[in-house]
Amino acid sequence: MLTAINILYNEGVFSDLDIHFAKLMAELSNNTSDEILLGSALVSYYNNQGSSCVNLQSLAGKLFPSESDSYSILCPKLSQWELSLKNCSVVGIPSNYTPLILNNHCLYSYRYFNYEQILANRIHSLISINDIDHKILSNGLERLFPKQSNKQKEAAYLAVSRKFCIISGGPGTGKTATVIKILALLLEQNPDLNLVMIAPTGKAANRLKEAVTKTLPSLDCNSTIKAAIPTETYTIHRLLGSKLNSPYFHFSANNPLPYDVVVIDEASMIDLALMTKLIQAIPNQAHLILLGDKDQLASVEAGTVLGDICEAGLIQANAINNSQLDNINSSIILLDKSYRFSKQSGIWKLSQAIKQGDGETALQILKSANYPDVEWHSLAEVLPTDLIEQISTKFSMFEPQPEIALQNFDKFRILCATRHGLHGILNINQSVENYYRNTGQIKSNCYHGQPIIIKRNDYHLNLFNGDIGIIFNIAGQKKAIFLDATGRRREFWPNRLPEYETVYAMTIHKSQGSEFEQVLMILPSQFSPVLTRQLIYTGITRAGKKISIWGNEQIFKQAIATEIDRFSGLTNQLLNISNKI
């Protein structure tokens, strides 16, 4: 088996880490059986692919990798595989403290099994009814929510009356506006509450801050309540207090956060490890409200936390006996009315077809003359020159005022599925810059009008991964200009910035939480595992007014037919705890 694993390593399937982990487990257990070597290598492999475990049942008796055109390993039969693992000293059951845990046909590293167990138990401990003044709440709901916002009103009632709540919905369904009103309702119940609003990235935290700043003035409540709603937002790492060169945080289960209400925006982006550490640090008596789109891309790191919790709720909702007040389903609400897109718009119809996995209908919508807000363009392997020209003329980065240039820049964006390759962001950005050089508009690597994106958080400069700025000549000197949440200009010397790169094009992953008037999406000419239904859905819903997709029809339909393939046991852990209660 080690020879077979090494062949897959040489073909780029397994990494150095996968090989070393498999060898370590074999050495610690003094067991070099095929089952332990392959199982260990797969645990490491799938953790790196975003899974928290390996579902042995789905792999048993099948070839791995299944899509390989060259070499594959035939996985053992399930009964044989599990029997061998159970007889191995490094493999235990949930009550054991061993490097690997076998549970429910899933093989975990102890760390990820422990995360799932802690998170599932912590969520259930937070699911409870809050003691509220229903008369005050009823008055607040009527005042803050018009009659046509029944679903939002329902979400607000749920969030105020329960300690744990998930509000999920697509772009433009009013999640953020609703949660700001929820904070007002909570403060009307108790003006002394200490509130905090957080997001997984600096960009998402800044967008949350912008939404609060924009919504507060029109909020129909007294000035004392308005003043108590926080206008400062934080990243999760900043809130918890990162420790230098450590995976641990200042705030934890032993040192809880000093807040009564915690709101987490863009929750779909949060991985299993970070969500577990965050929820451990939330006080037992606190409210926890998660906002996000369960149909969007999952976290970059291992886990599909928001999707798993919503899946557990859906299973409970479909069960015969689903009336328990402590069910997860009773704490989840889905907002389905979009205030950004008309139900007759091409973007709305396209997004629904993609969510349903209907690639044929999605392509028909893109090609139809009935929907001017969506377009399809066939793209060959080589990028056509007129596409680069079309892209380049969309940008007006050479405006005389940086504020206007940045505002205009957010009106149009190129989104790519990949970073590398002919249709990846690195080549697209280089092609646009080459066009500007060839037409004499730029003459250096750091130039007036260059759009840039920050790649690393810098808390001293208050610049975060995903923040977008522009290089500008000011009084003969180049400065990097960014706008804060209030639109105020911030200037930096380029050599003082954290790591950054040019950003005419950005990956769809990086675009999460953003909105642009027009989006031009470029898909690769060959299928890749990153091309999934969730990726395409996330990309098209970044567009507010128009989406143009350039790609290959078969690859587009294949992507929509492909869901994110991650193994996770969190849904089962949540349901098992519910069944025991």
Side-chain angles (χ1 to χ4, degrees):
M1 179 58 73
L2 194 55
T3 301
I5 289 173
N6 279 323
I7 292 173
L8 289 183
Y9 167 73
N10 291 330
E11 291 192 356
V13 177
F14 285 130
S15 66
D16 287 327
L17 181 61
D18 304 336
I19 299 295
H20 288 309
F21 186 70
K23 288 180 177 178
L24 176 62
M25 292 300 100
E27 184 180 334
L28 289 175
S29 62
N30 195 26
N31 184 335
T32 57
S33 68
D34 291 355
E35 291 81 11
I36 188 64
L37 282 168
L38 181 59
S40 303
L42 289 173
V43 165
S44 176
Y45 169 83
Y46 277 106
N47 283 171
N48 292 330
Q49 300 301 311
S51 296
S52 59
C53 60
V54 183
N55 188 322
L56 302 181
Q57 195 169 32
S58 69
L59 296 178
K62 298 177 182 176
L63 291 173
F64 172 85
S66 59
E67 72 279 359
S68 176
D69 293 327
S70 51
Y71 190 81
S72 294
I73 295 174
L74 180 63
C75 296
K77 291 181 179 179
L78 183 63
S79 57
Q80 170 196 339
W81 205 349
E82 291 193 336
L83 181 61
S84 183
L85 290 171
K86 287 174 183 176
N87 291 327
C88 183
S89 60
V90 294
V91 181
I93 58 175
S95 58
N96 297 146
Y97 185 63
T98 50
L100 296 171
I101 298 292
L102 182 61
N103 181 55
N104 241 359
H105 307 305
C106 291
L107 186 63
Y108 293 82
S109 66
Y110 178 83
R111 182 167 71 109
Y112 280 112
F113 178 78
N114 194 42
Y115 283 147
E116 281 191 357
Q117 208 170 39
I118 290 171
L119 183 56
N121 281 305
R122 193 77 184 90
I123 287 171
H124 272 284
S125 72
L126 289 171
I127 295 174
S128 61
I129 305 297
N130 193 32
D131 186 19
I132 58 172
D133 186 320
H134 287 275
K135 186 176 180 180
I136 292 175
L137 177 57
S138 178
N139 177 274
L141 288 170
E142 291 303 316
R143 179 171 18 91
L144 289 168
F145 292 90
K147 289 182 178 179
Q148 63 267 29
S149 301
N150 288 332
K151 208 67 182 281
Q152 292 182 359
K153 189 184 293 185
E154 187 182 338
Y157 176 82
L158 189 71
V160 174
S161 61
R162 304 187 73 86
K163 293 287 188 182
F164 175 75
C165 177
I166 290 178
I167 302 174
S168 179
T173 52
K175 298 184 295 293
T176 309
T178 299
V179 86
I180 295 167
K181 295 176 182 179
I182 289 169
L183 295 183
L185 292 169
L186 285 166
L187 286 165
E188 288 176 353
Q189 294 284 325
N190 180 0
D192 297 324
L193 290 175
N194 195 7
L195 320 174
V196 68
M197 303 181 77
I198 59 177
T201 66
K203 180 180 70 174
N206 276 339
R207 285 186 63 84
L208 182 58
K209 182 176 182 177
E210 288 171 11
V212 175
T213 305
K214 183 179 178 180
T215 305
L216 267 183
S218 61
L219 207 59
D220 189 6
C221 58
N222 68 49
S223 57
T224 305
I225 297 296
K226 282 186 185 181
I229 296 175
T231 55
E232 187 60 52
T233 56
Y234 301 87
T235 63
I236 297 172
H237 286 83
R238 185 181 173 198
L239 181 79
L240 293 178
S242 298
K243 291 185 177 180
L244 190 63
N245 300 321
S246 170
Y248 301 105
F249 293 98
H250 176 70
F251 290 104
S252 63
N254 297 322
N255 182 32
L257 290 160
Y259 296 103
D260 306 299
V261 180
V262 179
V263 174
I264 309 174
D265 197 16
E266 298 291 350
S268 64
M269 298 170 66
I270 307 173
D271 62 83
L272 175 62
L274 185 57
M275 184 66 88
T276 303
K277 291 171 183 178
L278 171 60
I279 205 168
Q280 283 182 288
I282 291 173
N284 292 329
Q285 73 280 4
H287 275 77
L288 175 60
I289 303 171
L290 303 184
L291 307 177
D293 185 349
K294 66 180 181 62
D295 296 308
Q296 268 192 198
L297 282 165
S299 58
V300 175
E301 302 297 329
T304 51
V305 176
L306 186 69
D308 287 345
I309 301 171
C310 291
E311 178 66 17
L314 181 62
I315 292 171
Q316 287 182 338
N318 292 330
I320 296 172
N321 179 19
N322 63 355
S323 59
Q324 287 179 252
L325 292 176
D326 56 3
N327 272 352
I328 294 165
N329 179 56
S330 62
S331 294
I332 300 172
I333 188 162
L334 305 179
L335 301 181
D336 52 11
K337 180 179 179 181
S338 176
Y339 296 88
R340 184 183 303 174
F341 307 118
S342 158
K343 287 195 174 181
Q344 302 308 312
S345 73
I347 294 177
W348 171 261
K349 289 184 177 294
L350 180 60
S351 69
Q352 299 311 298
I354 290 171
K355 280 168 64 173
Q356 293 160 17
D358 189 347
E360 195 64 51
T361 298
L363 204 54
Q364 288 173 7
I365 293 167
L366 280 164
K367 291 181 173 182
S368 172
N370 296 327
Y371 306 109
D373 56 335
V374 298
E375 286 181 350
W376 173 263
H377 299 271
S378 292
L379 183 61
E381 210 163 311
V382 178
L383 289 172
T385 305
D386 62 337
L387 172 59
I388 298 301
E389 289 181 8
Q390 178 184 330
I391 288 170
S392 303
T393 56
K394 287 281 187 180
F395 295 107
S396 54
M397 301 310 296
F398 308 105
E399 293 278 354
Q401 294 296 322
E403 290 88 349
I404 296 174
L406 280 168
Q407 288 166 9
N408 287 339
F409 185 60
D410 269 348
K411 293 179 180 178
F412 174 75
R413 193 61 44 85
I414 311 163
L415 298 182
C416 301
T418 58
R419 180 172 178 80
H420 300 281
L422 196 61
H423 299 168
I425 63 164
L426 295 180
N427 186 54
I428 299 296
N429 284 325
Q430 187 65 57
S431 298
V432 173
E433 287 189 324
N434 287 343
Y435 175 85
Y436 286 144
R437 284 191 178 92
N438 293 337
T439 54
Q441 296 180 73
I442 63 173
K443 296 176 181 176
S444 63
N445 290 329
C446 181
Y447 54 90
H448 177 81
Q450 180 184 4
I452 59 174
I453 184 169
I454 299 297
K455 298 176 67 178
R456 179 175 53 80
N457 292 342
D458 188 319
Y459 292 102
H460 296 294
L461 295 179
N462 202 30
L463 289 173
F464 303 101
N465 182 10
D467 283 354
I468 288 176
I470 182 173
I471 304 295
F472 233 75
N473 284 334
I474 297 178
Q477 296 179 316
K478 288 188 177 71
K479 293 285 187 72
I481 311 296
F482 294 81
L483 301 181
D484 66 13
T486 63
R488 182 177 59 89
R489 181 198 293 192
R490 305 178 67 221
E491 297 183 6
F492 303 89
W493 297 106
N495 60 4
R496 283 204 62 207
L497 295 175
E499 186 181 0
Y500 68 89
E501 65 184 5
T502 303
V503 68
Y504 293 106
M506 66 195 301
T507 62
I508 296 172
H509 270 93
K510 280 279 189 184
S511 74
Q512 285 190 91
S514 299
E515 180 190 348
F516 314 104
E517 286 187 10
Q518 296 185 47
V519 166
L520 191 153
M521 189 193 304
I522 300 177
L523 301 178
S525 57
Q526 295 182 337
F527 189 77
S528 159
V530 303
L531 287 172
T532 63
R533 182 182 307 170
Q534 289 83 358
L535 185 89
I536 305 297
Y537 170 82
T538 301
I540 66 148
T541 53
R542 298 313 92 204
K545 292 184 177 179
K546 186 167 185 176
I547 174 78
S548 299
I549 302 179
W550 291 68
N552 174 283
E553 290 186 16
Q554 286 306 118
I555 289 173
F556 175 73
K557 288 192 287 188
Q558 189 177 353
I560 291 174
T562 305
E563 292 197 82
I564 290 177
D565 187 17
R566 290 190 175 185
F567 295 135
S568 168
L570 181 58
T571 296
N572 284 334
Q573 298 250 33
L574 289 164
L575 292 173
N576 288 339
I577 295 171
S578 290
N579 293 334
K580 292 174 184 176
I581 294 174

